[in-house]
Amino acid sequence: MSKASGIHDMGGTKGWGPAPVPRADEPVFAQPWQARAFALALLSMRLSGTNLDAFRHAMNRLERQDYLDDGYYGRWLHGAENLLYDSSIIAPGTVEARAANLSGGSAEEPAPPVPDKPDYAPTAAGSLRVMSRPPRFAVGAAVRAKTFDPPGHTRLPRYVMGHAGTVTIIQPAQVLPDTHAHFQGENAQWVYAVSFDSAELFGPGAEPFTLNIDLYEDYLEEAP
C-alpha cells in the first residue's frame, strides 16, 4: 500500500496470503470476550456522542497489528478505544492501567478527563435518507471512480480510483461517510452498485471475476 493508503485499501495488494474460508458452523462469538467487545463498541458510539461512520474511521486509523492480528472483534475493541479517546471520555493510558490492575498489578490510572463530545445530532435514525432530486446516473451507465487523496475518512477504496465500471443497481440514498464521520454534515446522496471487471482493476493477468461495490454519488463521474 502507498503511504497515503490505509487498511481500507488493502484489496488487490499482495503479501497477505489466502483469505480464510469461514466454517459453516462458525459461531457468532467464538469466545465470551468477543460478545463483550461487540457490546462495548456499540456503547462507545453512544458514550462518545458520535456515529457509525466515526466508528469506522476510528478502526481505519488503527495500526496493522491492532486491526489484523487481534482479529475481527479485536479491531472493534480498539476502535471503541479510539472513539472514547477522541471525545475525552477516557484519558490515554487508562485502558493499559486498568488491564494491569485487573491482572494483579498496581498501576495508577489517569484521572477522568472533561468530556469533549462533538456538536452533532442526526436528522433521522440510521443512515438512509429521502432525496428530493433524482439520481445522477442510471442503471447501465458507464462511470469512473474519481481519483483524489481524501484528507480523512472515505469509503472509496484506492484500488478502484480512476477505474471504469457499470452501474448495476441504484441503492437508497444515504449520508456521506466522508463528511458524516467528521461531523461536517450528512450530505445525503444516492448510492450506486457498480460492477468492475477484474482486468480493469488489477491488470490483464488477474483472475477473471466481477467486483461489485457500492459507491456514493460524489465518488463517481461519467466515463468517456
Side-chain angles (χ1 to χ4, degrees), residues 70-147:
D70 289 340
Y72 181 79
Y73 291 107
R75 78 184 62 134
W76 277 61
L77 187 59
H78 294 307
E81 291 176 19
N82 269 351
L83 275 191
L84 297 177
Y85 290 140
D86 291 345
S87 293
S88 295
I89 304 302
I90 60 175
T94 299
V95 172
E96 292 78 6
R98 182 69 58 84
N101 292 334
L102 291 174
S103 299
S106 179
E108 182 178 355
E109 297 186 19
V114 177
D116 184 21
K117 299 181 182 181
D119 182 12
Y120 160 77
T123 62
S127 298
L128 300 182
R129 297 293 184 267
V130 176
M131 297 293 292
S132 59
R133 62 174 177 81
R136 177 184 175 189
F137 304 104
V139 171
V143 294
R144 186 179 305 278
K146 295 178 181 178
T147 299

Side-chain angles (χ1 to χ4, degrees), residues 54-74:
F55 178 71
R56 285 172 173 155
H57 184 51
M59 286 200 296
N60 287 353
R61 287 183 281 134
L62 296 174
E63 298 294 335
R64 180 203 180 280
Q65 65 272 18
D66 290 334
Y67 191 95
L68 295 175
D69 296 350
D70 289 340
Y72 181 79
Y73 291 107

Side-chain angles (χ1 to χ4, degrees), residues 44-58 61 79 82-89 116-123 129 152-154 175-188:
S44 70
M45 287 180 261
R46 179 179 298 180
L47 290 174
S48 61
T50 59
N51 56 51
L52 179 60
D53 293 310
F55 178 71
R56 285 172 173 155
H57 184 51
R61 287 183 281 134
N82 269 351
L83 275 191
L84 297 177
Y85 290 140
D86 291 345
S87 293
S88 295
I89 304 302
D116 184 21
K117 299 181 182 181
D119 182 12
Y120 160 77
T123 62
R129 297 293 184 267
H153 184 62
T154 187
V175 299
L176 180 67
D178 304 49
T179 55
H180 198 227
H182 300 287
F183 319 108
Q184 297 170 348
E186 293 185 341
N187 196 11

Side-chain angles (χ1 to χ4, degrees), residues 128-204:
L128 300 182
R129 297 293 184 267
V130 176
M131 297 293 292
S132 59
R133 62 174 177 81
R136 177 184 175 189
F137 304 104
V139 171
V143 294
R144 186 179 305 278
K146 295 178 181 178
T147 299
F148 63 94
D149 192 15
H153 184 62
T154 187
R155 298 293 287 175
L156 176 61
R158 193 168 296 273
Y159 56 84
V160 304
M161 289 184 180
H163 293 286
T166 303
V167 174
T168 58
I169 301 173
I170 300 176
Q171 306 280 23
Q174 298 185 36
V175 299
L176 180 67
D178 304 49
T179 55
H180 198 227
H182 300 287
F183 319 108
Q184 297 170 348
E186 293 185 341
N187 196 11
Q189 54 191 255
W190 293 102
V191 180
Y192 305 85
V194 181
S195 64
F196 295 89
D197 186 84
S198 59
E200 165 70 16
L201 295 177
F202 307 119

